[in-house]
Amino acid sequence: MLNKAGSRNRQPDDARTEHLEFPDNRLLIDLCGGFDSHLARIESTLGIHVVRRGNSLVLHGPREGVEIAAETLGRLYERLEEGRPVGESEVEAALRLVTGPEAVRFHAVDLAPPAPAAEAGAVELRTRKKVIEPRTPAQKDYIVRLLSHELVFGIGPAGTGKTYLAVAAAVALFNEGLVDRIILSRPAVEAGERLGFLPGDMKEKVDPYMQPLYDALHDFIPARQLGRLMEEKRIEIAPLAFMRGRTLSDAFVVLDEAQNASAMQMKMLLTRLGRGSRMAITGDPSQIDLPRGVPSGLVAAERILEGVEGVAFTRFTGKDVVRHPLVARIIEAWERDAAARRPGNGRQVEAASETGRKASAGAGEAGDD
């Protein structure tokens, strides 16, 4: 357990120095990372300086940054004491969580239904192959809702873990015996390509659309066991169209890419929910591939079901992206561009239109040549 020594020297109001002592030098090496890379990440994120002296770290900088860094390092050291690894992703996750709206403790949640939403601390989803922890406050909120509500919508951009966490929750509840089946589904909607031109029979045409769901399952269940469970139909992966007419009892149902379900398809799936079942609906309204004029079922459900008892919504933003940091910056740039082009933004829209006119004129001249 780390100790704090001489943590409050006299400083200007906006500066602070914190001394942290770590009794185990071997764990401290892992905490700092290769060539102190973890410390460098904390320094660059929080705008502070970290100096390593023997078995202690000295933090100096703005008061808030130092306090967050001390909390982050304390949590990461606790992980190491528990025998858990600390790598680049764990450092990033700890920084995000400790700057969230409430203090976070890493602990397992009692999966017996219903998991009380009031206990909204961070949770772990335990599967056969790995333990999944939230990396952002939104992910933490999402996991708690998945374990405490019968119908949960995860809405937001790609890379935020919406589908991955939903599948992890399904596997965790399945392992605990709280559901008898896992059913994963996606609308088979083309994103620019034509399904009919793909080679093979119907299964071979559809499987590429389902591959992200297979990938998630392989992360949580050993291959041999997964193959057996799929043969026994205790785990199913199927296009959304195949859900019509079924009653899904004692199952955890995940609908991925829900923005590409029509409003009628969405209503059809939601009304399949049977006794003892839970359902997670994930999607990104900014990536709708439906034909022009066909309303998105995800957008309709978000509007119609807001405030309905038993239904929960978790909304993710670019700040919750846990893929490569560049992905978050790409999404944020896209969002800024979309905001600049909204009708209320006169100057930006006018500038965009002028750019379009110039491009069209240039294209016309080139065509004349």
Side-chain angles (χ1 to χ4, degrees):
M1 195 67 184
L2 79 94
N3 299 312
K4 295 184 179 181
S7 60
R8 288 176 176 80
N9 297 333
R10 286 196 172 275
Q11 304 284 341
D13 289 343
D14 61 344
R16 178 171 176 177
T17 298
E18 186 91 26
H19 296 260
L20 307 179
E21 295 182 1
F22 301 86
D24 192 325
N25 280 326
R26 291 174 300 177
L27 296 184
L28 179 58
I29 292 172
D30 293 336
L31 178 66
C32 295
F35 301 102
D36 290 344
S37 59
H38 297 166
L39 300 184
R41 177 60 176 157
I42 291 172
E43 286 180 319
S44 63
T45 300
L46 301 176
I48 66 168
H49 297 290
V50 183
V51 179
R52 183 174 167 186
R53 295 176 181 169
N55 69 332
S56 66
L57 297 175
V58 181
L59 317 180
H60 178 76
R63 178 177 296 274
E64 182 180 5
V66 168
E67 290 175 351
I68 292 173
E71 180 71 12
T72 301
L73 290 165
R75 293 178 185 280
L76 292 173
Y77 190 76
E78 286 179 10
R79 284 180 58 88
L80 290 168
E81 288 184 315
E82 294 168 2
R84 301 184 182 187
V86 168
E88 182 180 339
S89 60
E90 284 75 26
V91 173
E92 184 69 28
L95 283 168
R96 294 189 185 203
L97 285 169
V98 82
T99 56
E102 55 184 289
V104 175
R105 296 284 299 177
F106 293 107
H107 63 275
V109 69
D110 180 5
L111 294 179
E119 295 181 6
V123 299
E124 293 174 346
L125 295 171
R126 297 182 180 274
T127 68
R128 302 277 177 170
K129 294 180 70 174
K130 60 172 63 176
V131 176
I132 310 302
E133 296 174 347
R135 295 188 177 184
T136 71
Q139 285 193 352
K140 176 193 68 176
D141 175 78
Y142 186 49
I143 292 176
V144 171
R145 292 176 185 273
L146 286 169
L147 298 176
S148 60
H149 288 73
E150 293 176 316
L151 177 58
V152 179
F153 287 80
I155 300 173
T160 51
K162 305 181 302 296
T163 303
Y164 193 78
L165 293 176
V167 175
V171 173
L173 291 173
F174 179 82
N175 289 340
E176 292 289 324
L178 299 177
V179 294
D180 295 334
R181 294 181 295 163
I182 297 174
I183 300 174
L184 310 180
S185 184
R186 268 186 160 199
V189 174
E190 302 93 342
E193 299 86 5
R194 292 300 176 192
L195 187 62
F197 289 106
L198 292 175
D201 58 20
M202 177 57 72
K203 183 179 187 303
E204 291 171 325
K205 290 175 185 288
V206 167
D207 269 357
Y209 288 87
M210 305 295 124
Q211 193 58 48
L213 301 177
Y214 286 108
D215 293 342
L217 283 173
H218 278 289
D219 261 10
F220 307 132
I221 302 176
R224 184 175 298 178
Q225 181 189 12
L226 178 58
R228 185 178 71 253
L229 291 172
M230 294 188 74
E231 284 180 10
E232 297 171 355
K233 298 294 185 181
R234 298 182 68 190
I235 295 181
E236 299 180 48
I237 300 179
L240 176 58
F242 291 9
M243 296 295 106
R244 186 174 295 278
R246 302 182 63 180
T247 299
L248 308 175
S249 301
D250 300 310
F252 197 116
V253 183
V254 178
L255 174 63
D256 187 30
E257 298 289 337
Q259 75 275 3
N260 289 329
S262 69
M264 290 303 296
Q265 286 178 319
M266 179 64 72
K267 181 181 177 183
M268 176 271 291
L269 180 69
L270 296 180
T271 55
R272 301 303 94 199
L273 191 66
R275 292 186 179 276
S277 290
R278 296 174 188 240
M279 190 175 288
I281 310 294
T282 71
D284 178 4
S286 71
Q287 298 194 49
I288 297 173
D289 299 312
L290 290 167
R292 186 181 298 275
V294 177
S296 167
L298 179 62
V299 174
E302 187 177 10
R303 182 185 73 251
I304 295 168
L305 299 180
E306 186 74 57
V308 173
E309 184 178 356
V311 180
F313 290 85
T314 296
R315 293 175 175 85
F316 298 86
T317 69
K319 295 180 180 178
D320 298 303
V321 172
V322 292
R323 290 181 185 167
H324 193 287
L326 181 56
V327 175
R329 295 197 290 272
I330 290 171
I331 290 171
E332 288 171 359
W334 229 275
E335 290 174 348
R336 286 195 302 270
D337 181 73
R341 292 173 181 272
R342 288 189 187 117
N345 248 329
R347 281 188 296 178
Q348 289 91 333
V349 171
E350 185 179 345
S353 301
E354 180 63 24
T355 302
R357 285 194 294 271
K358 289 179 180 178
S360 298
E365 292 168 3
D368 291 339
D369 290 338

